[in-house]
Structure formats: structure tokens, C-alpha cells
Amino acid sequence: MRRRTEEPVATGSGATPASPPSWRVPFNRAFESGKELELVGEAMAGGHIAGGGRFTARAEALLGEILGGRSRALLTTSCTHALELAALLLEVGPGDEVVLPSFTFVSVANAFVLRGARPVFVDCRRDTLNIDESLVPAAIGPRTRAVVAMHYAGVGCDLAALARATEERGVPLVEDAAHGLFGSWCGRPLGTVGRLATLSFHETKNVSCGEGGALVVNDPELVARAEVLREKGTDRSRFQRGEVDKYRWIDVGSSWVLSELLAAFLLAQLEARERIQTARRRIWQEYAAALAGWAAAHGTLLPRVPDDCGSAYHLFHLLLPTPAARDGLMAHLRSRGILAVFHYLPLHDSPMGRRFGYRRGDLPVAEWASERLLRLPLFASLDPASQEHVIAAVLEFSA
Ligand SMILES: *Cc1c(COP(=O)(O)O)cnc(C)c1O
């Protein structure tokens, strides 16, 4: 029964079961910069609250800057929708294949399955839990239309190896950077190496507007069409900029534009990014320092950040030595009023995964990680006393 109620938590990225007020330390709390209502008020006062207005333009420009100035960011209603937009833009269709990790969020698979494609799941690395780049070349076949990599916890995948594998075969690389905004690989911002990348501004992410996302377009040839597909298959974006005198139906598409109200809210958070990232980094480093000795003594692995990666400090996880130790620590923390959660249930080992011919045992590292992983509370407003309470509770536990 317990497992059942927790399943949506484990499958989801954010893991926010309704936190009863009884949690002394909740798992997550949405950040508030203090400026959100002011900017939302400005958007309302302007009289235009649908998408494509000045707050959308400002948030997209700031995202472009954060991403190094060569990428075009298009705000969308979610990261899930940005992935759907990516699948449509890459013309993925029935009979095609998409290569992706099994240890990731369900939307990565769904976006392509919705277009009729078959997911080809790849196992992950034991250290970063990112897609195992050494397995990707063999997973690419004549029908592969995309390889999607996800930067788990905000730590970069081996993008050099992935870029090589995909370029050799002429297959586009898509980065799911839902965890990765503000992270870097070899000095480059995550989300700027693949042909396309996606971002999430869901409540559980570093920067949020409740629900929202972005498609990052790194190939200038795809920008105009991405705008059209996002805007119901019309050239309304050009019309709004005064580039055409009427807008028409010119392609397929859907309604993936983010409201100005949410763009204004998001802008307030993006402007507070230094504060957010400084707090998250401090909390992450405090966990790493305070738990290192305990982890070594109890066969537990702490997150590893390769030397060429700058973490986005999206999450802090432990890999316990056994599934029983993970479940035991989770229960122990809950008894101390601390909500710690696990994820992901590997996609290949799910009812949908089985429909595509996968079975338990096919991808052992994803299964190993899924059964042993526990995420500790990490959010910008986690105060030192609460974090100390979490650390003390972990140190009491014998794995
Ligand atoms: C949060 C998340 C998504 C989906 O984001 P939404 O904005 O909620 O649709 C996709 N991929 C990963 C890795 C995520 O963590």
C-alpha cells in the first residue's frame, strides 16, 4: 500500500506529495524573490496577459544571456511541452526511434512516443547517473531520429562523446536541461551543445513560475519554425513583431506559448538567480562536507561532479548500499519530521516500457540506482538550523 501511494512521487521529477504542516523540514519549497507580484502587476497594468509580450521578450532575452548569448530560448507552457515541440520540430514520426536514458523523467519518452516513435532505452553511469555515453553508438540505428541526454541533478553528461556519436551518424542531440540551468560542461552552459535543449520552470526546479518551460534552439535554422509550431502553426509571432500584416496557418503546431503573467513571475526569479544559486550551492556543499565521513563508513555514495562540470546544484542525493537501507533511512528521516524522497522508477521497467519489449534486468545500473537513491531536502530557503536537523538525523542512522 505504501509503495502505491508513493509511486507518483517516484516517477515524477519533483516529488512533492502534499507536505502536511507536520513536516518539520519539507522536501521542497518554491523560491520567492519578493518581486514576483510587482512584475505580474506590471504585466496586468499593461492590459496584455496572453503570451508573446514584453515580459516574454525580457525573460527570453535574459535566458539567452544566461546561456551564453548564442542560443534562442522560447518560453513554453512546460518542459514536457518543450520536449513535444522538439519532437515535432525534428519531424519524428511513426516507425522512428529515439535513444534516451531509462533513468529519467517520463516526459522525455512520452514526447516522442506521442509522435509514434519507439523509445530505445540506454543504461546510465554509476557515478553521475547520466546516460552512459559508451552505450550510445550501439543504440543508434538507421531509424534513430534523436538522442536525448538528461543532465541528472544539474551535472553535465559527457557531451563530447555524445556530440561525436550523434554527429557521426547525422542524428540530432537534444539536451533535457530541466535540472541543468546554471550548470556547465567544459565551461559551456548546459543546454547549449545539443541542437535543441529543454528547460523546466516547474515549482520543483531552481527557477520557477509554477508551471513553465523553454525550448532552447541552438541551430539558427530551426528558430523560425520553432516559433510557428509553438504558436498553433501560425506566423503570429512575426505578426506581433510587425514583420507581417496578418497571421496565417502555415504549418502544424499547438498552443505552447507561456502567459505573460507567468513570464513576469519567471523574470522576477531569473533576476534573483545569484541569490538562488548561492543558497543552493552553500546547502549542497554543506551536505557534502558534513556527510562525507558517514557515507564512507556506511557504504553510501554521495553525488560526484566530474572535474569538467560545474553543477547547477539542482538536487542532493545519497546512494545507499541496499534497497532496505534506503527505505530504512527514508522512514527514519520521516520519523524525525523530514521529507526525503526517491526517484526515478526506470522507464524500461514500467508497464509502458514492457509494451516496448523491455524487462526488468535489461538495464542494471538504472535499476540499481532507482532502488538505492534518496534525495535530501534542498531548496534556496532551507535555513541552517533545518539543514543541521537533516544532517544530524542522517548521522544517527546506520546503513
Ligand atoms: C521536471 C522535469 C521535466 C518536466 O518538466 P515540466 O516542466 O514539469 O513539464 C522533464 N525532464 C526532467 C528531467 C525533469 O526533471
Side-chain angles (χ1 to χ4, degrees), residues 61-72:
L62 184 50
L63 274 172
E65 230 177 81
I66 292 166
L67 293 170
R70 278 197 298 274
S71 310
R72 175 81 164 89

Side-chain angles (χ1 to χ4, degrees), residues 13 78-80 104-105 108 150 176 178-179 200 202 205 212 344:
S13 65
S78 65
C79 181
T80 300
T104 190
F105 189 59
V108 183
M150 191 271 280
D176 178 355
H179 299 182
S200 175
H202 184 264
K205 301 304 183 337
Y344 295 104

Side-chain angles (χ1 to χ4, degrees), residues 45-63:
H48 295 287
I49 57 172
R54 85 202 150 85
F55 285 99
T56 298
R58 282 171 65 187
E60 289 182 347
L62 184 50
L63 274 172

